[in-house]
Amino acid sequence: MTADRSDELEIEIERAERSDRDARGSDREPPERRLEDELGRIDLSTTPEGYVEGRVAAIESLDSRTVRLEVALPHGPRVGFDLEKPIPWSEEFLLARIVDDVGYDAASVGHLRGETVYLARTDAGDEGGSRWRAWLPEDSLAALPPAVRDPIDRLLAAGSPRWRLVDPAERPSPTDGTDGVSAATATGAVVVGAVLAALGAAVGAAGGLAVPTAAVAAALPGLVLVVAGLAVLLARG
């Protein structure tokens, strides 16, 4: 055996030993640490409204009427949704609303992969799946023949958390909760501006300003506020 061949064998053995140590290390990770990691990922990706942020992992056409959307949850699992294909393209379809929400259109629907969508639990409080998994641990399932394991896998999947896609129309607008403040601010600007305009004109006249344009200049800051406030109010309808 040549020296080069011997070196290659030593490298391969070293890599195999390192991989084996890494695998054993992950197996020895305390179960509470794995739980903390799982729940921590979910917590960081949960919005104040209780929606969970997922990432589109795949999108494909199943047939002439159906599109399959696969979404990866923050802690790893994937969930699939069969959506009606938007024909014709219209916001009446959930898929079209989701695509539009992230800034794409019909011709760039494939770019939806990797984008964020929002999910909501539909079975909160259902503990059935957890009980089944406690009775049938993963290592026991792996040892079963496929003919036995497949029906059990389907049963466990039925007991897993169930999710639905959140319609973009359900999520609050970024301006929600600020409309009242904006209206009050605009109204205040109109009132304060009118007062400043009147005071400016009065001061200009009392100061003996002979040039009419000078009086207008004194009242100009107030007039600007009035115009700005009215513009905001009119834009809000």
Side-chain angles (χ1 to χ4, degrees), residues 219-231:
L220 188 59
L223 292 173
V224 170
L225 279 175
V226 171
V227 172
L230 288 174

Side-chain angles (χ1 to χ4, degrees), residues 175-189 232-233 236:
T175 59
D176 284 358
T178 63
D179 290 350
V181 176
S182 299
T185 302
T187 303
V232 171
L233 291 175
R236 292 170 50 81

Side-chain angles (χ1 to χ4, degrees), residues 151-236:
I152 295 177
D153 283 339
R154 288 194 293 270
L155 180 63
L156 292 177
S160 299
R162 293 187 292 277
W163 302 87
R164 68 174 179 85
L165 282 168
V166 175
D167 193 323
E170 294 180 45
R171 303 202 316 275
S173 167
T175 59
D176 284 358
T178 63
D179 290 350
V181 176
S182 299
T185 302
T187 303
V190 171
V191 174
V192 172
V195 172
L196 288 177
L199 288 176
V203 169
L209 295 173
V211 183
T213 54
V216 173
L220 188 59
L223 292 173
V224 170
L225 279 175
V226 171
V227 172
L230 288 174
V232 171
L233 291 175
L234 290 174
R236 292 170 50 81

Side-chain angles (χ1 to χ4, degrees), residues 131-141 144 152 155-156:
R131 289 196 296 270
W132 276 106
R133 291 191 181 277
W135 295 337
L136 297 168
E138 293 293 336
D139 53 351
S140 298
L141 286 175
L144 297 174
I152 295 177
L155 180 63
L156 292 177

Side-chain angles (χ1 to χ4, degrees), residues 8 26 146 149 212:
E8 289 177 4
S26 61
R149 186 175 63 246

Side-chain angles (χ1 to χ4, degrees), residues 10-26 28:
E10 289 179 0
I11 292 172
E12 292 297 329
I13 293 172
E14 183 179 350
R15 287 176 178 172
E17 290 177 347
R18 186 183 303 117
S19 299
D20 186 53
R21 288 196 300 269
D22 292 342
R24 289 198 302 271
S26 61
R28 288 197 299 267

